Amino acid sequence: MEQRVLGRTGRPVSVVGLGTWQLGADWGVVLEDDALAVLDAAADAGVTFFDTADVYGDGRSEQLIGRFLKSRQNEGLTVATKLGRRLPQLPENYTLANFREWTDRSRRNLGVDRLDLVQLHCPPTPVYSSDEVFDALDTLVEEGRTAAYGVSVETCAEALTAIARPGVASVQIILNPFRLKPLDEVLPAAEKAGVGIIARVPLASGLLSGKYTKDTLFGTDDHRTYNRDGSAFDQGETFSGVDFETGIEAADEFARLAPPGATSAQTALRWIVQQPGVTTVIPGARNPEQARANAETAALSPLPPQTLAAVRDLYDRKLRAQVHPRW
Ligand SMILES: NC(=O)c1ccc[n+]([C@@H]2O[C@H](COP(=O)([O-])OP(=O)(O)OC[C@H]3O[C@@H](n4cnc5c(N)ncnc54)[C@H](OP(=O)(O)O)[C@@H]3O)[C@@H](O)[C@H]2O)c1
């Protein structure tokens, strides 16, 4: 699979990675053997970049990746984790002492001496302006707890603030055909600064697969039930912040743009990887079939200009008013 250098980490990673929130919690139950099968299917299909967080299943996702890594030594895999959400979301909790404790727990969970990349996990906005926080992250690198650090952001403004920090290796941001704002300023700024871009929620939590209808119900333990209004965490993390009914209509229209031989989900991923400035896209997968289908996207031909224009037109008509001013 095509590899791209992940910004200031200097590490080559596969252009299609794997998101592993599903292997922790918040998407209904994924059994342990099934979770390991997802990781194996992705790696067998050429995926070398895995995104997790210390809070996904309170460490379950990291621990499963740790088991998987043991059987995949010397395969050049990169694992990015996140920190910051084990305590209430207050800027004063973003201290060097907490960072040390959290990264040590992630190192134990993953079974590694040094993390490849640790990302601030959508912290409160003032954290991005704190020199102390970024000094503490530099200290983690000096101490060998992590090889590099990055940020996972909610808004484009946060991304731009982070990109201006010299030690930030990568920015993780929501980017998909229903969330175009990062194309305006964030991707060009990241490219200019040599900062990697990790595109998350690439399928708008599955909407862009085109497989749901207005009657689709999700489990009570699935954030697509309990976070539609943002009551558990940022509303933008569920369906990209698009209300479900509008999302279904837009997804139906998007599905008609898929080229022959590609699914709607693959078309969305293909659209993302060909945006200038994107390093890797990290679709979440609940089973090996999804992981394989997503990895296959890397081999598809680029979408033609008329499809790119149609995506822009769909966004402008149906989605821009809902999402563009907020994130
Ligand atoms: N704050 C943060 O830093 C943050 C927040 C959110 C996500 N993330 C990261 O980003 C990753 C990706 O985002 P996400 O998982 O939230 O959303 P996503 O990738 O947009 O959507 C994942 C869902 O799409 C469906 N799907 C995946 N592949 C498919 C395929 N080939 N065909 C049909 N349906 C498919 C599955 O839905 P079903 O379950 O219905 O099958 C899956 O659960 C996460 O796993 C996590 O690593 C980070």
Side-chain angles (χ1 to χ4, degrees):
M1 187 185 304
E2 180 189 345
Q3 309 275 308
R4 295 178 183 170
V5 173
L6 182 58
R8 295 173 181 150
T9 70
R11 297 175 75 101
V13 297
S14 55
V15 70
V16 179
L18 180 74
T20 66
W21 184 12
Q22 283 74 1
L23 311 189
D26 302 316
W27 296 76
V29 177
V30 176
L31 298 174
E32 196 160 314
D33 284 351
D34 295 338
L36 290 167
V38 168
L39 293 165
D40 278 326
D44 289 345
V47 167
T48 65
F49 183 69
F50 298 82
D51 177 73
T52 184
D54 57 359
V55 288
Y56 292 167
D58 195 21
R60 181 181 192 247
S61 174
E62 285 185 335
Q63 288 162 9
L64 286 163
I65 293 173
R67 281 180 52 192
F68 157 77
L69 286 178
K70 275 203 187 107
S71 62
R72 295 274 178 174
Q73 313 241 327
N74 306 318
E75 289 191 23
L77 305 184
T78 297
V79 177
T81 192
K82 312 191 193 80
L83 58 69
R85 300 190 82 86
R86 297 183 55 72
L87 284 178
Q89 288 305 289
L90 302 168
E92 53 266 39
N93 288 333
Y94 285 74
T95 63
L96 177 58
N98 283 337
F99 288 180
R100 284 181 172 138
E101 188 185 319
W102 295 332
T103 48
D104 288 351
R105 181 175 177 271
S106 291
R107 290 158 67 207
R108 281 194 301 277
N109 282 341
L110 289 165
V112 298
D113 287 339
R114 191 173 65 160
L115 303 174
D116 298 328
L117 176 70
V118 70
Q119 305 157 94
L120 292 177
H121 197 168
C122 296
T125 304
V127 165
Y128 293 100
S129 307
S130 163
D131 291 342
E132 290 75 21
V133 166
F134 287 88
D135 288 348
L137 291 167
D138 286 332
T139 302
L140 294 182
V141 175
E142 282 156 22
E143 291 173 344
R145 284 183 158 87
T146 187
Y149 63 84
V151 295
S152 183
V153 303
E154 296 292 4
T155 67
C156 289
E158 290 168 349
L160 292 169
T161 307
I163 288 167
R165 296 260 171 196
V168 169
S170 60
V171 168
Q172 183 178 136
I173 191 163
I174 299 180
L175 172 67
N176 63 47
F178 292 176
R179 186 73 87 86
L180 302 197
K181 192 168 177 181
L183 304 184
D184 295 351
E185 290 182 79
V186 173
L187 267 57
E191 202 171 17
K192 192 164 169 221
V195 169
I197 288 285
I198 301 166
R200 77 166 183 271
V201 196
L203 300 174
S205 312
L207 265 180
L208 279 157
S209 70
K211 67 184 176 184
Y212 312 133
T213 69
K214 286 184 179 166
D215 300 323
T216 301
L217 293 175
F218 299 91
T220 50
D221 54 354
D222 190 315
H223 72 96
R224 293 171 293 186
T225 297
Y226 66 76
N227 191 52
R228 282 189 191 189
D229 60 355
S231 48
F233 41 83
D234 194 276
Q235 190 179 359
E237 301 295 350
T238 301
F239 301 130
S240 247
V242 175
D243 84 72
F244 190 60
E245 304 244 320
T246 307
I248 292 292
E249 282 171 24
D252 282 348
E253 197 174 326
F254 180 80
R256 294 199 282 276
L257 303 178
T263 66
S264 185
Q266 289 173 324
T267 307
L269 299 178
R270 180 64 239 180
W271 179 89
I272 295 168
V273 300
Q274 73 187 70
Q275 300 306 317
V278 168
T279 311
T280 182
V281 60
I282 51 165
R286 283 169 52 84
N287 55 52
E289 293 71 33
Q290 288 181 353
R292 271 190 289 273
N294 295 341
E296 281 166 13
T297 304
L300 297 178
S301 303
L303 300 172
Q306 60 270 32
T307 305
L308 304 184
V311 170
R312 171 70 70 174
D313 172 62
L314 170 61
Y315 178 77
D316 287 344
R317 277 187 290 108
K318 284 203 163 4
L319 306 150
R320 174 183 277 273
Q322 262 190 39
V323 298
H324 216 79
R326 284 195 63 183
W327 291 283

